[in-house]
Amino acid sequence: DLAVALNNRGQVRYFRVEFAAAMEDYTAAIECQPGFEVPYYNRGLVLYRLGCFDEAMKDFRKVLELNPQFEDAALSLKQAILDKEEKQKRGY
């Protein structure tokens, strides 16, 4: 379906390091099918890589709300929290 296709195109763009385009695809997939947790996770990964920890944590939490068994989202959320704390300790 369309949400899966958009998510998949986002993955291709992510691997090409086209982060803005990937995020557009993930967001479009979410808008198309709000209960589909995978594009939230993928968008969270992009946000995490860009250092946008608060936004990434929001997406990872949404994944876990939709699917509490999504272990990679739980791990990514923990890592984002740790990295945000480390960034704050260092003062930037």
Side-chain angles (χ1 to χ4, degrees):
D1 73 358
L2 182 58
V4 172
L6 288 164
N7 181 71
N8 291 345
R9 187 174 70 181
Q11 284 293 93
V12 171
R13 290 174 164 176
Y14 175 79
F15 291 130
R16 290 182 180 161
V17 196
E18 298 171 3
F19 294 147
M23 290 212 352
E24 287 175 15
D25 284 340
Y26 297 143
T27 300
I30 289 164
E31 289 168 355
C32 184
Q33 190 176 337
F36 182 28
E37 73 272 20
V38 176
Y40 288 101
Y41 175 71
N42 290 331
R43 188 174 68 181
L45 291 177
V46 174
L47 290 163
Y48 173 83
R49 284 195 61 182
L50 295 174
C52 302
F53 299 124
D54 289 330
E55 295 90 337
M57 289 186 289
K58 183 178 174 189
D59 274 350
F60 296 143
R61 285 187 177 109
K62 182 65 177 179
V63 172
L64 294 170
E65 176 187 313
L66 294 168
N67 179 359
Q69 307 307 314
F70 201 124
E71 290 182 28
D72 286 346
L75 292 171
S76 295
L77 175 59
K78 288 178 187 172
Q79 191 61 54
I81 291 167
L82 290 172
D83 288 353
K84 179 184 176 187
E85 290 171 356
E86 185 63 30
K87 185 178 176 182
Q88 288 172 332
K89 277 188 217 167
R90 293 181 183 201
Y92 53 83

